[in-house]
């Protein structure tokens, strides 16, 4: 690809996401305009930062396609006072988008090398209200629970049970539920002791892995 003007490419991507109906809320559109996706992809992919495609983050993982980040962010109904838990920091891009819309984001990443990458990317993008911790997100992050919202960005057959426990009553969780090759993007809302599920369409995410020695699901 020819070297292109990233600002123009970003505007054009955001316009496409609005036209396709993936981006709806003004605040979320603004967040997409504010966050430099090129800061979250490896240097050699910079020119592709505003294509609506997943891109490698290194170590076999991917940064989700912008339309998927847009859909998940809209489904999460972010509010200024929200404390959000993310499972799967990856590049840090999804957390960066959320950081513009909520009070704080705590993101758990299994691979310490990616956790470090995410931290560096977020710092370079000037974002200060995201904390990245290395750990197995299957257990969530009890230390800072409960959360207003939870977003899982790796595929799992079932919602990790600990996460339901760490979600506030009335809170919303989004996760790709299913096997390795195709999942159902699922919105869950905690209502007292029950969880109301809503299917939001098919998607493909890299699988949630368990820390070595723990049984995979
Ligand atoms: N949200 C990321 C994309 C995540 S890709 C972004 O915006 O770039 C999925 C990520 O989940 C990968 O980085 C992978 O290492 C991580 N992951 C896989 N299993 C995990 C687990 N059990 N706990 C936490 N993170 C996990």
């Amino acid at each position: 690809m020819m070297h292109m003007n990233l600002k123009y490419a970003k505007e054009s991507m955001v316009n496409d996401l609005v036209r396709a109906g993936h981006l709806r809320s003004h605040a979320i559109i603004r967040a997409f305009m504010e966050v430099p996706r090129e800061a979250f992809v490896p240097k050699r992919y910079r020119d592709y930062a505003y294509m609506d495609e997943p891109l490698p983050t290194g170590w076999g993982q991917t940064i989700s396609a912008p339309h998927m980040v847009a859909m998940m962010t809209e489904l999460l109904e972010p509010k200024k006072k929200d404390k959000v838990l993310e499972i799967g920091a990856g590049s840090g891009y999804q957390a960066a988008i959320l950081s513009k819309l909520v009070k704080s984001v705590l993101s758990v990443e299994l691979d310490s090398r990616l956790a470090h990458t995410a931290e560096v990317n977020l710092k370079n993008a000037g974002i200060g209200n995201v904390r990245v911790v290395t750990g197995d997100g299957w257990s969530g992050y009890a230390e800072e629970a409960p959360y207003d919202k939870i977003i899982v960005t790796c595929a799992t057959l079932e919602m990790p049970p600990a996460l339901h426990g760490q979600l506030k009553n009335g809170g919303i969780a989004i996760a790709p539920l299913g096997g390795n090759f195709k999942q159902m993007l699922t919105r869950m809302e905690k209502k007292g002791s029950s969880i109301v599920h809503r299917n939001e369409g098919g998607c493909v995410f890299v699988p949630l892995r368990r820390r070595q020695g723990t049984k995979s699901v």
Side-chain angles (χ1 to χ4, degrees):
M1 188 199 272
M2 299 268 294
H3 183 73
M4 66 191 302
N5 180 328
L6 287 173
K7 184 170 175 284
Y8 171 77
K10 183 198 268 179
E11 275 174 25
S12 138
M13 181 193 81
V14 168
N15 287 339
D16 286 348
L17 293 176
V18 170
R19 222 170 294 132
H22 298 309
L23 279 180
R24 298 164 196 270
S25 322
H26 287 297
I28 301 181
I29 293 169
R30 204 177 318 123
F32 268 74
M33 288 305 296
E34 281 176 21
V35 176
R37 192 169 184 254
E38 67 272 22
F40 295 86
V41 302
K43 278 207 176 63
R44 64 186 177 285
Y45 293 109
R46 274 207 158 168
D47 285 348
Y48 304 97
Y50 294 107
M51 293 181 68
D52 190 13
E53 302 281 347
L55 292 171
T57 53
W59 296 288
Q61 305 302 315
T62 53
I63 170 174
S64 307
H67 75 271
M68 189 49 64
V69 177
M71 285 170 70
M72 292 179 91
T73 305
E74 291 280 0
L75 286 171
L76 217 51
E77 299 172 26
K79 303 279 184 295
K80 264 292 166 210
K81 57 160 191 35
D82 283 349
K83 183 157 94 176
V84 180
L85 173 67
E86 178 185 41
I87 308 303
S91 67
Y93 179 71
Q94 171 75 73
I97 293 288
L98 286 170
S99 79
K100 305 286 183 190
L101 299 158
V102 303
K103 186 152 166 253
S104 62
V105 182
L106 188 289
S107 187
V108 184
E109 170 56 53
L110 187 72
D111 188 326
S112 59
R113 298 166 301 187
L114 279 169
H116 177 71
T117 304
E119 271 180 343
V120 171
N121 293 345
L122 287 158
K123 186 161 181 283
N124 288 342
I127 289 162
N129 59 341
V130 178
R131 202 175 133 214
V132 183
V133 297
T134 301
D136 185 346
W138 179 258
S139 322
Y141 194 73
E143 289 85 336
E144 294 206 10
Y147 303 94
D148 299 285
K149 309 285 165 65
I150 297 180
I151 177 169
V152 182
T153 66
C154 41
T156 169
L157 279 178
E158 51 159 332
M159 185 66 169
L163 297 187
H164 285 319
Q166 292 172 19
L167 185 62
K168 276 189 195 166
N169 191 24
I172 298 170
I174 310 291
L177 300 184
N180 277 357
F181 302 107
K182 188 156 175 60
Q183 305 94 36
M184 178 58 73
L185 189 60
T186 310
R187 178 192 187 273
M188 289 151 274
E189 191 169 345
K190 187 169 179 174
K191 293 199 163 154
S193 55
S194 66
I195 304 282
V196 181
H197 287 70
R198 203 169 78 197
N199 290 343
E200 297 289 347
C203 56
V204 183
F205 278 79
V206 296
L208 182 149
R209 295 161 293 134
R210 302 301 311 279
R211 194 172 256 157
Q212 248 183 359
T214 46
K215 194 175 163 292
S216 92
V217 292

